[in-house]
Short mmCIF file of all heavy atoms in Angstrom, two decimals:
data_model
loop_
_atom_site.label_atom_id
_atom_site.label_comp_id
_atom_site.label_asym_id
_atom_site.label_seq_id
_atom_site.Cartn_x
_atom_site.Cartn_y
_atom_site.Cartn_z
N PRO A 306 -36.25 -13.90 -15.95
CA PRO A 306 -35.02 -14.47 -16.50
C PRO A 306 -33.79 -14.06 -15.68
O PRO A 306 -32.95 -13.28 -16.11
CB PRO A 306 -34.97 -13.89 -17.92
CG PRO A 306 -35.68 -12.58 -17.80
CD PRO A 306 -36.78 -12.79 -16.79
N LEU A 307 -33.69 -14.64 -14.49
CA LEU A 307 -32.62 -14.29 -13.56
C LEU A 307 -31.38 -15.12 -13.84
O LEU A 307 -31.45 -16.36 -13.89
CB LEU A 307 -33.09 -14.53 -12.12
CG LEU A 307 -32.15 -14.08 -11.01
CD1 LEU A 307 -32.06 -12.56 -10.95
CD2 LEU A 307 -32.61 -14.63 -9.66
N THR A 308 -30.23 -14.45 -13.99
CA THR A 308 -28.96 -15.14 -14.20
C THR A 308 -28.00 -14.78 -13.07
O THR A 308 -27.81 -13.60 -12.76
CB THR A 308 -28.34 -14.75 -15.56
OG1 THR A 308 -29.19 -15.20 -16.62
CG2 THR A 308 -26.96 -15.37 -15.73
N VAL A 309 -27.43 -15.80 -12.44
CA VAL A 309 -26.54 -15.62 -11.29
C VAL A 309 -25.25 -16.39 -11.54
O VAL A 309 -25.28 -17.56 -11.91
CB VAL A 309 -27.20 -16.12 -9.99
CG1 VAL A 309 -26.27 -15.93 -8.80
CG2 VAL A 309 -28.53 -15.42 -9.75
N ARG A 310 -24.12 -15.73 -11.34
CA ARG A 310 -22.81 -16.37 -11.50
C ARG A 310 -22.01 -16.21 -10.22
O ARG A 310 -22.14 -15.21 -9.51
CB ARG A 310 -22.03 -15.74 -12.66
CG ARG A 310 -22.72 -15.86 -14.01
CD ARG A 310 -21.87 -15.24 -15.11
NE ARG A 310 -22.53 -15.33 -16.41
CZ ARG A 310 -23.35 -14.40 -16.90
NH1 ARG A 310 -23.60 -13.31 -16.18
NH2 ARG A 310 -23.91 -14.55 -18.08
N ASP A 311 -21.15 -17.20 -9.96
CA ASP A 311 -20.15 -17.08 -8.89
C ASP A 311 -18.80 -16.89 -9.56
O ASP A 311 -18.38 -17.72 -10.37
CB ASP A 311 -20.14 -18.33 -8.00
CG ASP A 311 -19.23 -18.15 -6.81
OD1 ASP A 311 -18.01 -18.40 -6.96
OD2 ASP A 311 -19.72 -17.76 -5.74
N ARG A 312 -18.11 -15.79 -9.22
CA ARG A 312 -16.86 -15.43 -9.89
C ARG A 312 -15.73 -15.27 -8.86
O ARG A 312 -15.43 -14.16 -8.44
CB ARG A 312 -17.03 -14.14 -10.69
CG ARG A 312 -18.10 -14.22 -11.76
CD ARG A 312 -17.93 -13.10 -12.79
NE ARG A 312 -18.07 -11.79 -12.21
CZ ARG A 312 -17.16 -10.81 -12.29
NH1 ARG A 312 -16.00 -11.04 -12.87
NH2 ARG A 312 -17.40 -9.63 -11.76
N PRO A 313 -15.08 -16.36 -8.47
CA PRO A 313 -14.02 -16.25 -7.45
C PRO A 313 -12.82 -15.43 -7.90
O PRO A 313 -12.09 -14.92 -7.05
CB PRO A 313 -13.63 -17.71 -7.19
CG PRO A 313 -14.12 -18.46 -8.39
CD PRO A 313 -15.33 -17.75 -8.87
N GLY A 314 -12.61 -15.27 -9.19
CA GLY A 314 -11.46 -14.49 -9.67
C GLY A 314 -11.72 -13.02 -9.79
O GLY A 314 -10.89 -12.29 -10.37
N ALA A 315 -12.85 -12.53 -9.25
CA ALA A 315 -13.25 -11.12 -9.43
C ALA A 315 -12.48 -10.21 -8.47
O ALA A 315 -13.04 -9.65 -7.52
CB ALA A 315 -14.75 -10.96 -9.24
N HIS A 316 -11.19 -10.07 -8.69
CA HIS A 316 -10.34 -9.18 -7.89
C HIS A 316 -10.75 -7.73 -8.18
O HIS A 316 -11.10 -7.42 -9.31
CB HIS A 316 -8.88 -9.42 -8.28
CG HIS A 316 -7.88 -8.76 -7.40
ND1 HIS A 316 -7.51 -9.29 -6.19
CD2 HIS A 316 -7.20 -7.59 -7.52
CE1 HIS A 316 -6.61 -8.50 -5.63
NE2 HIS A 316 -6.42 -7.46 -6.42
N PRO A 317 -10.76 -6.83 -7.18
CA PRO A 317 -10.19 -6.95 -5.84
C PRO A 317 -11.24 -7.20 -4.76
O PRO A 317 -11.01 -6.89 -3.59
CB PRO A 317 -9.58 -5.56 -5.65
CG PRO A 317 -10.59 -4.64 -6.28
CD PRO A 317 -11.12 -5.41 -7.48
N TYR A 318 -12.38 -7.72 -5.12
CA TYR A 318 -13.48 -7.82 -4.17
C TYR A 318 -13.20 -8.83 -3.06
O TYR A 318 -12.48 -9.82 -3.26
CB TYR A 318 -14.77 -8.21 -4.88
CG TYR A 318 -15.18 -7.26 -5.98
CD1 TYR A 318 -15.69 -7.74 -7.18
CD2 TYR A 318 -15.05 -5.89 -5.83
CE1 TYR A 318 -16.07 -6.88 -8.20
CE2 TYR A 318 -15.43 -5.01 -6.84
CZ TYR A 318 -15.94 -5.52 -8.02
OH TYR A 318 -16.31 -4.67 -9.02
N ALA A 319 -13.80 -8.59 -1.90
CA ALA A 319 -13.71 -9.52 -0.78
C ALA A 319 -14.26 -10.87 -1.21
O ALA A 319 -15.27 -10.95 -1.90
CB ALA A 319 -14.49 -8.99 0.42
N GLY A 320 -13.59 -11.94 -0.80
CA GLY A 320 -14.01 -13.28 -1.19
C GLY A 320 -13.38 -13.79 -2.46
O GLY A 320 -13.56 -14.95 -2.81
N SER A 321 -12.65 -12.93 -3.18
CA SER A 321 -12.02 -13.37 -4.42
C SER A 321 -10.71 -14.11 -4.13
O SER A 321 -10.05 -13.86 -3.12
CB SER A 321 -11.77 -12.17 -5.33
OG SER A 321 -10.86 -11.25 -4.74
#
Side-chain angles (χ1 to χ4, degrees):
L307 186 69
T308 296
V309 180
R310 300 182 181 90
D311 186 275
R312 301 198 297 124
H316 190 80
Y318 302 139
S321 63

